[in-house]
Amino acid sequence: MASITYAHAVTELSTTHALTWRAGRLYRHGAPHRILSGALHYFRVHPDLWRDRIRRLADLGLNTVDTYVPWNYHQPREDETPRFDGWRDVERFIRTVGEEGLDVIVRPGPYICAEWSNGGLPSWLTGQDVGVRSSDPAFTSAVGRWFDELVPRVAALQASEGGPVVAVQVENEFGSFGDDQAYLRWNRRALTERGIRELLFTADGPTELMLDGGTLPGTLTAVTLGSDPEAARRLLAARRPDEPFLVAEFWNGWFDHWGGRHHVRGVDSAVRTLRSIVADGGSVSIYMAHGGTNFGLWAGANEHEGRLRPVVTSYDSDAPIAEDGSLTAKFFAVREALGARGPLRSPARMPTLPPARVPFAHRADLLPGLRAVPAPVSTAPRPASFERLGLDAGMVLHTAHPRIPAGEHRLVLTDVRDRALVFADGTLLGAADPGSPELPLRGTGDVVRLEVLVENLGRVNYGPGIGRHKGLLGPVLVDRRIVQGWDSTPVALQEWSFAELTGAVGAGPATTHTGFAVATFDVGTPADTFLALPGSSRGLVWVNGFLLGRYGEIGPQVTLYCPAPLLRVGENTVTVLELERLGGFLELRDRPELGPPEEYVEEFG
């Protein structure tokens, strides 16, 4: 009965609120309303393209845009004030949505999942001894300081203040993680105490287990799903009979993992489920309406049976609006299902550069290039983890000098997260990971310069693995003997300045098949392009000093989307850090290639 009483109180007393509900129906300023929302993440779209993508959502027939806010993106270091400028200007994004005539739903977390590194939580926090997503004061005090910076900015843009924000989510799918109701109540109170007056809601999977853990009395319950909305509707009607049906995430597509296939969802399947959701006044947010890109090293990862599954750079998600903004067949089918009739304001595709093939100039080998960028060195008996070094993403170069007796030996990295290239006196011994931690090592009786380059492939964004540490977490063994005495040097690739990148490239000459290479090409009028690296194995790509993301021949993703605003008139430079085998050239393509498709529909069992 608590939720029923609260519903009537909200409707009768909070006349300045945009959204209210009673008797199973949703109202906007007192008129019957249905939320038709689409997820669009400002942090996955170049700011110069925000307005274009927002207009495409409006053309889809939507009346609302929802976005997460990733804490770690705004505050990557504890000792730095959160940033809200440039790409991180969430206020500008919200205002732009409002200028285009749409409402906004904000999902501030602090945990967001979203296939985003560490689920949006800063590694400087999760690397401490803290109860993540709990009422542990060490966690809530840190979140409180973050909310002190974020929430008033959102509150000032609420509908009650003349802005477009009509709803704010409490935490995020908490019922699939834990059951600390005190923490959920704290989260809701933290929002209201900092000025949130619009509709609050929780969002969880449509199972008894998840709803028991993630819902709050007196707060609207929404669900997240990809299929069988009828069952979800029945479950919510039994638990919350007076509340309107709201699907906070309808998964009309899905994301991809490196080494897997490109997940797609058929148009008919997606539209059929969508029609069922919005029947009888149901509200929905299409996740994703436009997926965008996991630029830099922000892509997250999942764990399956103890194995890390990193998310690819593209976050296309088989959405109605493709990664490059193209209007897909799904776009037109969804538009029809939602009853949109107005003229389209956006072209079906953005302009692209003509296809071209550009040779690479191999400038520097891997280790000399990395060493050329100054970084503080930590010296200790054991290797320093990423967290101990204050490093969120990138690599760490560990160096030790053990004496290796003559003969054949076993070099074992007992717990490496996630992948390491191992060198002895500058010669590559091979790669090690949790599934293959052992390499052969031949000794001569002399001291060896042992170098272990550890790469973080992506922080887990969902489940109990959130906050897991990265690096050489266990001893390095030569047979049974522990190697001690290590220099650990952080390689903060995501934080490199243009000057630092230039320094790495200039550390030649190049004598191996790995390291830094550049390709240059001229542009008359900047336009979108898609970068492919045939013959190259795995590594990173920068465009004019901007870290575009990871590539890998393991697939499924073949091309990296490069939006036009990253290019300039005249000469443009693509820099590649290849970790295993550099190909001979870079391809500029006019179409994306995201890999062989596989039909996928997420279901709750």
Side-chain angles (χ1 to χ4, degrees):
M1 291 297 293
S3 63
I4 297 175
T5 302
Y6 180 80
H8 284 292
V10 167
T11 302
E12 294 167 2
L13 300 178
S14 301
T15 56
T16 59
H17 293 187
L19 298 180
T20 54
W21 47 271
R22 67 175 183 273
R25 297 296 178 184
L26 188 68
Y27 297 85
R28 189 178 188 277
H29 295 305
H33 183 65
R34 183 172 59 185
I35 296 171
L36 299 177
S37 179
L40 167 61
H41 299 156
Y42 62 95
F43 46 92
R44 284 182 160 126
V45 177
H46 193 288
D48 291 356
L49 298 174
W50 284 350
R51 191 176 298 274
D52 173 83
R53 301 308 195 252
I54 292 164
R55 287 180 175 174
R56 290 170 189 268
L57 261 69
D59 284 348
L60 186 58
L62 304 178
N63 57 30
T64 307
V65 171
D66 89 61
T67 186
Y68 282 124
V69 180
W71 181 5
N72 56 1
Y73 186 62
H74 288 267
Q75 191 183 14
R77 294 187 178 277
E78 183 177 14
D79 59 355
E80 295 179 358
T81 302
R83 289 179 53 193
F84 294 95
D85 59 340
W87 212 308
R88 295 165 174 81
D89 193 345
V90 62
E91 294 160 285
R92 175 191 157 200
F93 176 78
I94 292 171
R95 286 194 298 267
T96 304
V97 176
E99 290 166 4
E100 294 299 321
L102 280 69
D103 291 338
V104 176
I105 296 173
V106 178
R107 310 171 75 188
Y111 165 78
I112 66 169
C113 186
E115 292 68 60
W116 188 259
S117 176
N118 219 33
L121 297 175
S123 60
W124 55 256
L125 176 61
T126 60
Q128 303 175 25
D129 183 15
V130 58
V132 172
R133 302 180 74 190
S134 78
S135 53
D136 179 352
F139 183 71
T140 55
S141 61
V143 176
R145 290 189 294 273
W146 159 236
F147 276 9
D148 286 342
E149 298 284 345
L150 170 66
V151 176
R153 300 171 188 271
V154 175
L157 293 168
Q158 293 176 105
S160 57
E161 302 293 331
V165 176
V166 298
V168 176
Q169 183 175 292
V170 178
E171 237 275 350
N172 183 55
E173 295 182 314
F174 184 71
S176 61
F177 179 82
D179 58 7
D180 188 341
Q181 288 287 298
Y183 165 62
L184 271 188
R185 291 192 299 271
W186 177 90
N187 190 289
R188 179 177 61 185
R189 189 168 62 252
L191 296 172
T192 59
E193 288 177 349
R194 290 164 177 81
I196 297 301
R197 299 291 178 264
E198 298 296 335
L199 178 71
L200 293 174
F201 67 97
T202 58
D204 290 281
T207 70
E208 297 280 8
L209 180 74
M210 295 180 182
L211 293 175
D212 284 347
T215 59
L216 284 170
T219 300
L220 179 66
T221 296
V223 291
T224 59
L225 54 79
S227 59
D228 202 3
E230 298 87 353
R233 193 188 296 265
R234 291 192 298 270
L235 178 60
L236 285 181
R239 295 174 64 104
R240 301 286 185 107
D242 199 50
E243 296 184 7
F245 184 54
L246 169 59
V247 175
E249 290 185 15
F250 163 50
W251 305 316
N252 74 123
W254 204 245
F255 56 91
D256 299 337
H257 295 113
W258 288 113
R261 297 177 75 87
H262 173 46
H263 292 133
V264 299
R265 181 168 184 178
V267 171
D268 291 344
S269 168
V271 170
R272 185 168 56 251
T273 302
L274 176 62
R275 289 185 184 276
S276 179
I277 292 171
V278 300
D280 193 28
S283 291
V284 67
S285 184
I286 297 171
Y287 192 97
M288 297 292 295
H290 171 60
T293 308
N294 294 313
F295 292 112
L297 301 178
W298 290 110
N302 296 99
E303 286 183 324
H304 179 67
E305 297 179 349
R307 183 169 65 92
L308 190 76
R309 304 190 68 198
V311 174
V312 302
T313 301
S314 171
Y315 202 60
D316 178 85
S317 303
D318 195 34
I321 303 164
E323 181 180 13
D324 65 335
S326 294
L327 308 182
T328 68
K330 188 178 289 183
F331 173 94
F332 292 101
V334 168
R335 174 178 159 89
E336 180 182 3
L338 296 179
R341 296 289 182 265
L344 295 176
R345 296 179 295 167
S346 305
R349 286 200 74 205
M350 302 289 279
T352 58
L353 296 180
R357 177 177 288 191
V358 186
F360 277 128
H362 192 184
R363 296 288 180 79
D365 287 337
L366 176 60
L367 293 183
L370 297 179
R371 292 194 201 104
V373 179
V377 178
S378 172
T379 300
R382 63 179 185 176
S385 68
F386 277 58
E387 290 71 24
R388 185 173 179 181
L389 293 170
L391 183 64
D392 178 66
M395 305 175 183
V396 175
L397 179 60
H398 303 280
T399 306
H401 297 86
R403 185 178 299 277
I404 309 299
E408 299 292 337
H409 301 274
R410 296 166 54 247
L411 182 70
V412 184
L413 281 60
T414 60
D415 189 4
V416 57
R417 307 287 172 164
D418 297 305
R419 181 181 172 86
L421 297 176
V422 183
F423 302 82
D425 290 331
T427 299
L428 178 66
L429 299 181
D433 59 34
S436 303
E438 184 176 324
L439 293 168
L441 175 62
R442 174 181 286 274
T444 63
D446 293 330
V447 170
V448 169
R449 186 177 80 253
L450 181 64
E451 293 172 292
V452 182
L453 181 64
V454 179
E455 182 182 5
N456 168 5
L457 296 178
R459 292 184 180 272
V460 172
N461 58 260
Y462 179 83
I466 295 169
R468 197 180 304 282
H469 290 204
K470 297 290 187 178
L472 280 180
L473 304 183
V476 175
L477 305 178
V478 176
D479 297 331
R480 69 178 63 189
R481 191 186 75 198
I482 296 174
V483 178
Q484 295 178 304
W486 291 90
D487 290 337
S488 299
T489 306
V491 184
L493 298 167
Q494 188 153 259
E495 303 170 29
W496 274 8
S497 66
F498 181 78
E500 288 171 323
L501 179 61
T502 301
V505 171
T511 59
T512 68
H513 298 292
T514 66
F516 291 87
V518 297
T520 59
F521 56 93
D522 287 335
V523 170
T525 301
D528 289 353
T529 189
F530 302 88
L531 307 182
L533 295 90
S536 293
S537 179
R538 53 183 295 271
L540 307 175
V541 174
W542 287 260
V543 176
N544 294 325
F546 175 84
L547 182 53
L548 197 63
R550 288 189 172 95
Y551 67 89
E553 65 179 353
I554 194 173
Q557 182 176 359
V558 175
T559 58
L560 296 180
Y561 170 55
C562 176
L566 294 180
L567 302 176
R568 57 196 177 211
V569 175
E571 185 176 83
N572 291 263
T573 301
V574 171
T575 304
V576 170
L577 169 55
E578 170 57 50
L579 296 171
E580 296 184 8
R581 184 190 66 251
L582 180 67
F585 53 86
L586 170 76
E587 286 185 348
L588 309 182
R589 299 187 184 180
D590 60 1
R591 301 275 173 176
E593 184 179 349
L594 298 180
E598 176 182 73
E599 179 82 9
Y600 186 88
V601 179
E602 179 71 3
E603 299 177 346
F604 286 103

